[in-house]
């Protein structure tokens, strides 16, 4: 169990103006923001980030969506961060997400689902390293 996870506020939520509300939700849930940036993924970088899903039918759509506009990337710190954050964001499909979760509150579809959350400590490290140098972490 590690104390860090990685998140992105996805292009749909940034476009709709939900960045502040989502960050407020995350902070109020007890996460410390250890690194954060507003940036945009190229299609190549989005493809690399989601390479694990290459064979899935939604891969091209996912890559195109994730490179369609700016995202907010962040490293979050809290005890048992990966599991705690997955609970906070809710199920991948917002229609199936529990009441009060970020995806239930701010997402409309299984593809455009407002936020990313790492699924394991190993992936949290890989994903954090994808976006942030050591000097960008506090
Ligand atoms: N996704 C999609 N269609 C699906 C399943 C997933 O477009 O049927 C997208 C969605 O944006 C999701 C991402 O692919 O967040 C990664 O899928 P994963 O199964 O890892 O879900 P997550 O870990 O984000 O809940
Ligand atoms: Mg996942």
């Amino acid at each position: 169990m590690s104390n860090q996870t990685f998140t992105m506020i996805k292009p749909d939520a940034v476009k709709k103006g939900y960045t502040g509300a989502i960050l407020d939700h995350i902070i109020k849930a007890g996460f410390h923001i250890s690194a954060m940036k507003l940036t945009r993924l190229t299609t190549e970088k989005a493809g690399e980030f989601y390479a694990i899903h290459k064979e899935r039918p939604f891969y091209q759509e996912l890559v195109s969506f994730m490179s369609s506009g700016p995202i907010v990337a962040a490293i979050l710190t809290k005890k048992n961060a990966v599991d705690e954050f997955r609970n906070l964001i809710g199920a991948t499909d917002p229609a199936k997400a529990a009441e009060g979760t970020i995806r239930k509150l701010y997402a409309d579809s299984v593809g455009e689902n407002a936020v990313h959350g790492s699924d394991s400590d190993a992936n949290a490290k890989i994903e954090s390293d994808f976006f942030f140098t050591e000097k960008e972490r506090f």
Side-chain angles (χ1 to χ4, degrees):
M1 177 177 101
S2 150
N3 67 346
Q4 288 200 321
T5 191
F6 172 79
T7 187
M8 290 183 283
I9 302 175
K10 297 187 179 184
D12 57 322
V14 173
K15 256 178 215 141
K16 290 174 187 161
Y18 292 152
T19 299
I22 291 172
L23 288 175
D24 191 52
H25 206 94
I26 292 169
I27 291 163
K28 285 195 172 125
F31 289 87
H32 167 72
I33 297 175
S34 300
M36 186 165 69
K37 67 175 68 162
L38 179 68
T39 186
R40 183 173 178 168
L41 289 164
T42 60
T43 50
E44 191 189 13
K45 278 290 189 189
E48 203 185 311
F49 185 89
Y50 282 109
I52 194 167
H53 295 307
K54 213 170 213 153
E55 306 309 325
R56 311 273 290 273
F58 57 82
Y59 177 71
Q60 285 308 331
E61 203 182 335
L62 175 61
V63 167
S64 150
F65 162 59
M66 286 304 296
S67 55
S68 68
I71 56 132
V72 174
I75 299 174
L76 305 174
T77 302
K78 187 184 181 180
K79 193 176 166 206
N80 197 18
V82 167
D83 290 347
E84 287 282 311
F85 193 68
R86 294 292 304 203
N87 287 337
L88 188 72
I89 68 179
T92 307
D93 181 353
K96 295 176 187 150
E99 286 302 326
T101 58
I102 291 176
R103 282 169 167 167
K104 183 73 175 185
L105 290 166
Y106 301 108
D108 296 325
S109 73
V110 64
E112 306 202 357
N113 58 4
V115 281
H116 168 81
S118 304
D119 63 5
S120 65
D121 290 346
N123 283 334
K125 183 182 172 355
I126 291 167
E127 292 169 2
S128 297
D129 292 347
F130 191 90
F131 281 90
F132 296 102
T133 65
E134 281 310 313
K135 282 187 174 170
E136 292 174 309
R137 304 174 193 210
F138 301 93

